[in-house]
Amino acid sequence: MAGIEEVAKLAGVSTATVSRALSGRGHVSAASKAKVEQAASQLGYVVSSNASSLASGRTRNIGVVIPFLNRWFFSSVLEGAQRALLRHGYDLTLYNLSGDGRERESVFEHFLLRQRVDAVIAVSLELTEPEVARLHELGKPLVGVGGPIPGVRTLTIDDVAVARLATEHLIGLGHRRIAHIGGDLEFDVDFHLPTNRRLGYEAALRDAGLPVEAHRFAPADFTIRGGYHAAKQLLGVPHDRPSAIFAASDEMAIGTILAARDLGLVVPRDVSVIGVDDHDLSDFFGLTTVAQFPRGQGEQAVEILMEQLEPGADAAPPADTPLPFSLRVRSSTATPSE
């Protein structure tokens, strides 16, 4: 197999330029990069990841830690992160913590500390001080996605404001009997997303002079099936049926639409439905939602890490970067028919 010297000779550049062009580290002109890639392809030269790691002290591998893999939001963040890492020539190692608490302990006590990754992205995980300290001691850059983490660069979504926006949309249409499908206790852990979205919902009602009624809340598990069963409970009492439902995720909102149809109700004539996420199926169901752009969150987290991994880069001070969200109005919400 040809070596780096042969590639450099054929491309008419130095071996250092070949290394920079093929590793993605350091500046190389577009013309030189094209010559190197053509020469490498012609000679069948492939960069040795082991040699590159030994020379740079880097594995060119980023660890991503998520609480669930079988949820659209988390898989979408992961998709965005992987897409950005591929552009930068990095691999991704996924740590899925959907099991018991021992998995999390094992990941942070052993796997992430064995020098297998250059940096870590933690998605919707409220890292503890010892977990953060261990990574910082080893000089591993760390970015959190989902909420503030002391001492860590984080991308944060204001879940109270997200829920306010969704509820205020329903209030603005004239709805007064607005129910909420939120998360159960199992999901009210890191960053307390279900609680914050319920707080935003209740605050919007109070600001509009509407009562907060306990019987208009139903917990679920952020799945279509869970939303379906919760909506059946809320919509199953004809004399006190809500005219609108705000679900804390699009999957639960889609379950709500399906439950309404099974009960013989028409969305939005009989009940308006709004969710959060802008799920890939939202447009198909005509679901009004608050988009939070999870793929963009993953890409942005990677870009922050790449800045910190640049040779000679100063350690960025911990800061919270607010994430954007936007109302997407479709056909599942309308003025109440009454």
Side-chain angles (χ1 to χ4, degrees):
M1 180 183 292
I4 192 171
E5 294 82 5
E6 287 86 351
V7 175
K9 182 178 180 180
L10 181 60
V13 298
S14 68
T15 55
T17 299
V18 172
S19 178
R20 290 196 301 272
L22 297 181
S23 69
R25 296 191 298 273
H27 174 71
V28 178
S29 70
S32 295
K33 190 174 190 313
K35 289 180 182 178
V36 170
E37 289 176 344
Q38 182 178 358
S41 176
Q42 184 176 332
L43 295 172
Y45 176 76
V46 178
V47 177
S48 167
S49 60
N50 289 334
S52 179
S53 296
L54 289 171
S56 66
R58 297 268 177 82
T59 65
R60 297 192 70 77
N61 185 32
I62 303 298
V64 180
V65 189
I66 62 174
F68 300 98
L69 185 58
N70 61 341
R71 297 286 188 276
W72 176 85
F73 172 80
F74 298 112
S75 63
S76 296
V77 174
L78 184 64
E79 180 186 340
Q82 185 176 39
R83 189 163 54 195
L85 287 170
L86 285 174
R87 288 200 302 267
H88 288 281
Y90 275 75
D91 293 321
L92 180 152
T93 297
L94 173 66
Y95 299 95
N96 178 17
L97 305 184
S98 58
D100 56 37
R102 288 175 295 182
E103 288 188 355
R104 177 166 179 159
E105 181 181 356
S106 180
V107 166
F108 283 96
E109 290 282 351
H110 304 291
F111 291 100
L112 291 178
L113 306 184
R114 291 178 182 171
Q115 305 292 335
R116 291 181 176 180
V117 298
D118 294 331
V120 176
I121 299 173
V123 182
S124 296
L125 291 171
E126 195 169 357
L127 302 185
T128 65
E129 288 185 15
E131 288 169 346
V132 172
R134 290 187 192 100
L135 293 171
H136 283 171
E137 286 168 5
L138 292 173
K140 294 184 187 295
L142 171 63
V143 172
V145 178
I149 304 173
V152 176
R153 289 285 301 276
T154 54
L155 303 174
T156 61
I157 191 83
D158 188 340
D159 285 302
V160 173
V162 165
R164 267 185 171 274
L165 179 60
T167 309
E168 287 170 353
H169 169 69
L170 297 173
I171 294 170
L173 290 171
H175 292 279
R176 295 297 177 263
R177 300 190 314 280
I178 303 172
H180 176 47
I181 298 176
D184 55 26
L185 291 177
E186 177 187 354
F187 296 91
D188 196 24
V189 283
D190 298 275
F191 304 125
H192 304 289
L193 181 150
T195 292
N196 287 331
R197 289 189 181 171
R198 186 173 180 179
L199 289 174
Y201 154 77
E202 292 178 350
L205 293 180
R206 291 193 186 96
D207 288 350
L210 299 175
V212 176
E213 301 171 293
H215 72 282
R216 298 214 187 276
F217 170 77
D221 61 358
F222 285 83
T223 66
I224 293 176
R225 180 185 295 273
Y228 177 90
H229 290 299
K232 278 285 191 75
Q233 298 301 313
L234 293 170
L235 297 172
V237 184
H239 67 276
D240 192 28
R241 182 179 291 147
S243 66
I245 294 179
F246 159 49
S249 77
D250 279 356
E251 290 185 59
M252 294 194 293
I254 290 169
T256 299
I257 292 174
L258 297 175
R261 290 176 181 175
D262 283 355
L263 290 170
L265 304 175
V266 176
V267 176
R269 186 193 68 192
D270 300 314
V271 59
S272 285
V273 180
I274 188 171
V276 176
D277 280 333
D278 204 16
H279 190 287
D280 291 342
L281 291 175
S282 295
D283 189 53
F284 177 79
F285 281 92
L287 177 63
T288 296
T289 185
V290 179
Q292 59 170 331
F293 316 109
R295 293 181 181 88
Q297 294 181 25
E299 292 185 354
Q300 190 173 348
V302 167
E303 296 306 326
I304 292 174
L305 284 184
M306 292 300 106
E307 292 174 7
Q308 297 183 47
L309 288 170
E310 278 293 320
D314 295 327
D320 294 337
T321 302
L323 291 166
F325 54 90
S326 178
L327 181 67
R328 296 280 190 267
V329 179
R330 298 191 179 101
S331 60
S332 69
T333 54
T335 57
S337 57
E338 300 174 4

